[in-house]
Amino acid sequence: MMNIFKGFIIIILSFLFLFKFSNSDDYFPYQFFNDQSNEVILFTQINFQGEKFIYNTSMGYLELPNKFHNNVGSFISGTINVCFIKWDPFEQHQIYSRRVNKDYFSNNKFGSRIDGIYDGLCRDSIW
């Protein structure tokens, strides 16, 4: 009975360790960003490094500044949903609230193709 209990504890601790140090983009563990913010912070490099651009809901559709055009290495989303856009060829990527991505260049992600951003869902019209 004691060996089963020890095995169970080891499994639980292993899952907790993997959860804490996973590379998942679905969690919001970054304390330096206000979790109630209606903003998205874009970075020119991976791991939230490089130049920083802050988008907020009052901006509507925004063509990204030159430094961020096709060059978003990582991002942090606050409490808003946004849609990332590539115009030619047309492509959209939905980013939901409280999402992070520390490497938006790797694995064919959208960081090297992004042109613009707007508040809302990709299915919403921006014209």
Side-chain angles (χ1 to χ4, degrees):
M1 182 71 167
M2 189 62 141
N3 285 337
I4 293 173
F5 181 72
K6 285 181 183 178
F8 184 70
I9 295 296
I10 289 171
I11 290 171
I12 289 174
L13 291 175
S14 297
F15 278 115
L16 290 174
F17 179 80
L18 290 173
F19 176 76
K20 175 139 177 90
F21 295 104
S22 72
N23 289 328
S24 175
D25 298 333
D26 294 334
Y27 303 103
F28 197 82
Y30 300 97
Q31 296 177 357
F32 62 87
F33 187 67
N34 178 359
D35 163 88
Q36 298 302 313
S37 171
N38 285 329
E39 299 174 336
V40 174
I41 303 177
L42 308 174
F43 299 86
T44 56
Q45 297 175 16
I46 64 170
N47 296 319
F48 317 109
Q49 302 294 311
E51 303 237 6
K52 179 171 65 171
F53 178 78
I54 299 175
Y55 171 86
N56 66 54
T57 56
S58 68
M59 294 175 165
Y61 171 74
L62 180 74
E63 190 77 17
L64 290 177
N66 287 337
K67 290 181 182 179
F68 293 86
H69 204 263
N70 300 328
N71 189 39
V72 174
S74 50
F75 68 83
I76 302 170
S77 175
T79 57
I80 59 172
N81 298 323
V82 296
C83 183
F84 290 165
I85 298 176
K86 170 71 177 166
W87 287 112
D88 190 22
F90 185 72
E91 190 178 355
Q92 295 178 310
H93 283 241
Q94 183 67 56
I95 306 301
Y96 293 102
S97 66
R98 293 189 173 92
R99 296 296 197 252
V100 297
N101 193 308
K102 67 180 182 178
D103 188 355
Y104 207 44
F105 290 138
S106 295
N107 300 322
N108 200 27
K109 293 183 182 162
F110 202 58
S112 60
R113 301 190 307 277
I114 186 172
D115 292 329
I117 184 174
Y118 71 91
D119 177 31
L121 301 175
C122 289
R123 68 175 181 252
D124 298 338
S125 175
I126 61 171
W127 334 127

